[in-house]
Amino acid sequence: MINSDSRSVPEFLKPTPDLITEAFWDGLKEHRLLIQRCSQCAKFQFPPLPACRSCLSSLEWVDSKGTGTLYTWTVVRRATHSILGTWVPYVLAIIRMDEGVLFCSHVMGETPESLRADMPVRVHFVLAENGYVFPVFRVDELSDTDSRGDK
Amino acid sequence: MTLGSTTRKAAILGIGRSAFEKKSAEPIEALANDAIWSALNDAGLDIDDIDGVITFSLADTIPATGIATLLGMPRVGYMSTLDGGGNVVVSAVGYAAAAVQAGLASRILVVRALKARTGKRLGGTDEPEHLNTSGIRQFTGPYGWTAYLHTFSLVARRYMAEYDIGEEKMHGGLRAVVQTSRLYSSANPRAIMRDLISDDDYANSPLLSDPLRRADCCLESDGACALVVGFPDSADSSPVEIVAFREGGGPLPGGDLLAFLEWQDWSKIYANYVAEELYASAGIGPSDIDFAMLYDCFSSNILSQLEGFRFCGDGEAIDFVLEGNLSPGHSLPVNPHGGLLSEAYNHGLNGVLEAYDQLRGRSEGIQLDRAQTCLVASGGVGVGSAMILAR
């Protein structure tokens, strides 16, 4: 499966950055996971917006801590498009970052059976064949919120 | 819009369908004609009596003005093509009632014609737009979140996590939903899928994107549905009235029905947010509903709606289904035509038509004993629409 470590070059579809999101994709090239924070009310924001939805103030790009929990996932076993035929099975995951925002990503290095809701995960960066760097996640062994309680 | 407080209520005056087929050799315009003329005939009306058209547009469609042109409508009045899919099925009927009550039109055709199998497909296909990676999908598409199947699988998994529901229990709950759908469709001569599903059949259905199997996915099919909304004729002492209508959802639903990262609580859906106002508007509660037409794009969405519309408590939908409540003669028959899972995928409007037939006591399939008050709902995650029909 593409989420396993055995595959040397992970595949991702090429994103289409726009005026609001360019900085996010540029940050990834430097292995920075950037999210927005309101300059006035300090609320975190992702996906990116032109202004804070709470107070309309300007947003600044800040580095996410890179840690979060596995909010939900699915193991996709049948490709819904022929282009994805070589991907299956893959773990499509939603991560709730510690800043509160959600990311869609892949969880790497785990078997489907080992995945648990709300398990702690940490970001890693991978360079895809298409030239973009993508954030992916691995179970965070160092987390002090680890449910196994062996911190 | 509180339709419930209006003295004179709009009603559904008649319905019509084309044949439902997996693959139709007819053009979409011919399917639309079949449904519309049959609805006019059912309502005892002619095209001169119609001055409005409402339809919706996700994937394959004919826009409202295209329908007016196809029919050669002499009175081109209220024309509306809603942007959406499952979320606006009931909206199309609710807006028609609101427009009639506001005097914007006298009788409105609500139409959905689509070739969802041989035209534009929504499911697992090679349609180029499924690989869209712009807007919100630049953050989801690159990882292979490309289909509604993935959307509903992710929502179902969070639902399981929220209520500590294990794989086996979820499997049993989804299986019961699918089996109930086939129990109904086996008696429905219009249904595309009529074979009963055994426990083994369900277990052997391929797991596409867990926890959802192929059997949990609705059909892709070709067909058309139409109905007429207007004030009932004074000669009709017992019309099928649109008693209440609500549209909406929760905060930050996202601008894309397929992929979203703004929605905060994935164990809840639109139904949780519209139920209270819908019931208040109708002046009734869930226990007053005789049967429900729920949007079953995937079997898991039935569980979400049962809880959202308060037919059972949070996290209790699987037990509610396993107790047999959805079956004929039980507390809440659901989708007595077999739904999108088994009758046809006419983007939900076929459910409104079955509700009308049930309320009139003339269903071609299993006619329910108690069929005076019906909840009809449509929607996926963040937004949707629902109404109460009564006779």
Side-chain angles (χ1 to χ4, degrees), chain B residues 202-284:
Chain B
Y202 182 79
N204 291 329
S205 176
L207 200 52
L208 304 183
S209 180
D210 71 69
L212 300 179
R213 295 169 183 275
R214 179 181 287 156
D216 296 305
C217 303
C218 70
L219 310 177
E220 292 182 291
S221 61
D222 297 350
C225 287
L227 58 92
V228 183
V229 172
F231 285 123
D233 196 299
S234 53
D236 186 353
S237 59
S238 187
V240 173
E241 287 184 336
I242 301 155
V243 175
F245 159 64
R246 281 282 155 181
E247 173 184 281
L252 311 184
D256 189 321
L257 296 172
L258 189 147
F260 38 80
L261 291 170
E262 300 91 341
W263 189 244
Q264 289 301 299
D265 182 355
W266 292 32
S267 69
K268 304 273 188 298
I269 63 164
Y270 79 95
N272 297 79
Y273 299 90
V274 303
E276 194 179 341
E277 289 189 349
L278 177 75
Y279 288 129
S281 174
I284 61 172

Side-chain angles (χ1 to χ4, degrees), chain B residues 298-316:
Chain B
F298 297 92
S299 58
S300 55
N301 206 38
I302 296 275
L303 302 178
S304 306
Q305 289 167 102
L306 288 171
E307 294 181 15
F309 288 111
R310 312 311 303 165
F311 293 114
C312 59
D314 289 343
E316 295 173 4

Side-chain angles (χ1 to χ4, degrees), chain B residues 21-22 114-117 192 219-223 344-346:
Chain B
E21 293 180 277
K22 189 171 177 188
L114 81 165
K115 299 187 78 170
R117 181 61 180 77
I192 291 172
L219 310 177
E220 292 182 291
S221 61
D222 297 350
Y345 183 74
N346 200 251

Side-chain angles (χ1 to χ4, degrees), chain B residues 17-18 59-60 65 116-117 129 138 140 143 178 184 215 224 230 257 278 303 332:
Chain B
R17 324 169 166 83
S18 72
D60 210 24
T65 51
R117 181 61 180 77
E129 68 188 58
Q138 69 189 283
T140 56
Y143 294 96
V178 173
Y184 283 115
L257 296 172
L278 177 75
L303 302 178
L332 185 77

Side-chain angles (χ1 to χ4, degrees), chain B residues 108-293:
Chain B
I108 296 178
L109 268 172
V110 177
V111 182
R112 182 61 171 140
L114 81 165
K115 299 187 78 170
R117 181 61 180 77
T118 60
K120 237 178 180 176
R121 295 177 67 179
L122 281 160
T125 72
D126 278 359
E127 298 277 355
E129 68 188 58
H130 291 181
L131 300 181
N132 175 8
T133 58
S134 60
I136 184 66
R137 293 201 207 179
Q138 69 189 283
F139 304 113
T140 56
Y143 294 96
W145 181 358
T146 58
Y148 287 100
L149 169 69
H150 305 145
T151 311
F152 284 87
S153 299
L154 291 166
V155 167
R157 174 66 64 184
R158 185 62 212 179
Y159 172 77
M160 293 166 70
E162 202 75 26
Y163 299 110
D164 203 18
I165 294 166
E167 305 286 336
E168 203 175 319
K169 183 165 185 180
M170 191 67 175
H171 180 94
L174 296 176
R175 180 180 65 202
V177 169
V178 173
Q179 288 177 329
T180 307
S181 159
R182 287 298 183 84
L183 176 70
Y184 283 115
S185 75
S186 66
N188 174 359
R190 297 183 307 268
I192 291 172
M193 304 292 268
R194 287 180 229 166
D195 293 338
L196 296 175
I197 292 186
S198 69
D199 289 1
D200 282 348
D201 292 339
Y202 182 79
N204 291 329
S205 176
L207 200 52
L208 304 183
S209 180
D210 71 69
L212 300 179
R213 295 169 183 275
R214 179 181 287 156
D216 296 305
C217 303
C218 70
L219 310 177
E220 292 182 291
S221 61
D222 297 350
C225 287
L227 58 92
V228 183
V229 172
F231 285 123
D233 196 299
S234 53
D236 186 353
S237 59
S238 187
V240 173
E241 287 184 336
I242 301 155
V243 175
F245 159 64
R246 281 282 155 181
E247 173 184 281
L252 311 184
D256 189 321
L257 296 172
L258 189 147
F260 38 80
L261 291 170
E262 300 91 341
W263 189 244
Q264 289 301 299
D265 182 355
W266 292 32
S267 69
K268 304 273 188 298
I269 63 164
Y270 79 95
N272 297 79
Y273 299 90
V274 303
E276 194 179 341
E277 289 189 349
L278 177 75
Y279 288 129
S281 174
I284 61 172
S287 61
D288 299 310
I289 303 294
D290 294 333
F291 67 105
M293 313 301 293

Side-chain angles (χ1 to χ4, degrees), chain A residues 12-14 16-18 21 25 47 71-75 77-78 80-83 87 90 96 104 106 118 135, chain B residues 124-126 131 133 136 138-139 141-144 146 150 153-154 157-158 161 207-210 214 263-264 266:
Chain A
F12 299 91
L13 299 184
K14 196 171 177 173
T16 312
D18 54 50
T21 68
W25 294 106
Y71 186 63
T72 186
W73 74 94
T74 179
V75 183
R77 296 179 189 275
R78 289 287 178 103
T80 53
H81 195 288
S82 55
I83 281 184
W87 290 33
Y90 60 96
R96 188 178 287 285
C104 173
H106 286 167
D118 305 318
Chain B
T125 72
D126 278 359
L131 300 181
T133 58
I136 184 66
Q138 69 189 283
F139 304 113
Y143 294 96
T146 58
H150 305 145
S153 299
L154 291 166
R157 174 66 64 184
R158 185 62 212 179
L207 200 52
L208 304 183
S209 180
D210 71 69
R214 179 181 287 156
W263 189 244
Q264 289 301 299
W266 292 32

